[in-house]
Amino acid sequence: MRSPSREWLLALKEVSPDWPGERAEIVKRLWKRPDETDLLLDLLLREGLTEEALRLVGERERNIPNRQLLALSEQLDPARAVPLILRAAQRHIDRRTRGSYHEAAQVLARLPALIGKQATDWEICAVVERQPRLPALRDELRQAGLL
């Protein structure tokens, strides 16, 4: 079976007399294909199926791009969004380059609006404590107003 494209799925939604039924069948088929994780998660996010998207992230964490982790975090309550944001930031930090530290700081800059300054300060301290020998990371966090 050849995979549908994002465009094809959008077109099908527009003309389908039974989109929820067809969507359920498409999700079921895509779920069986790990190589289609990106397309499946995109569909789940677009359709607002956050619980299914969260389950998919749990099952296939390594295959989920940061942009999708962050898109999912926007659809969740703070308690469930923060771990996804932290995971996306840690992926950037793990690359160990100045540019990736900047990206991590940009990701973490989402926290104050979500959980407030005090909780953000606590989360940022925890991030820094896990990476005590990365002065460039601290500098990028400082520049982003997080330290």
Side-chain angles (χ1 to χ4, degrees):
M1 173 181 116
R2 216 178 110 219
S3 289
S5 68
R6 286 172 175 80
E7 295 76 21
W8 183 84
L9 289 172
L10 289 170
L12 178 62
K13 180 179 179 176
E14 292 296 317
V15 299
S16 174
D18 180 27
W19 173 242
E22 289 188 46
R23 180 187 65 205
E25 183 61 31
I26 291 167
V27 166
K28 186 171 130 182
R29 287 178 187 214
L30 289 175
W31 205 290
K32 294 176 184 176
R33 301 188 58 192
D35 59 319
E36 295 297 344
T37 300
D38 186 53
L39 179 63
L40 175 56
L41 189 54
D42 186 54
L43 174 64
L44 295 173
L45 291 172
R46 196 172 47 248
E47 292 295 309
L49 301 171
T50 54
E51 293 304 317
E52 291 87 347
L54 200 55
R55 193 173 107 224
L56 181 64
V57 167
E59 287 181 14
R60 302 182 189 168
E61 178 181 343
R62 293 177 209 247
N63 297 338
I64 308 297
N66 276 358
R67 67 177 170 72
Q68 288 182 319
L69 283 179
L70 296 173
L72 176 57
S73 75
E74 293 171 2
Q75 294 183 13
L76 297 170
D77 60 274
R80 296 191 305 170
V82 169
L84 295 179
I85 292 169
L86 294 173
R87 188 178 313 163
Q90 188 62 51
R91 286 177 172 181
H92 286 295
I93 294 167
D94 290 345
R95 291 187 190 125
R96 305 271 190 210
T97 67
R98 182 69 177 225
S100 61
Y101 299 151
H102 176 77
E103 291 296 322
Q106 297 305 306
V107 167
L108 293 168
R110 297 168 179 244
L111 292 176
L114 195 60
I115 59 174
K117 182 170 178 10
Q118 186 176 10
T120 297
D121 291 347
W122 186 85
E123 294 292 350
I124 297 301
C125 283
V127 167
V128 170
E129 285 177 10
R130 285 191 301 272
Q131 276 79 218
R133 295 189 173 143
L134 298 177
L137 173 62
R138 286 192 302 279
D139 186 45
E140 289 297 331
L141 292 171
R142 203 172 292 110
Q143 288 180 33
L146 297 169
L147 274 181

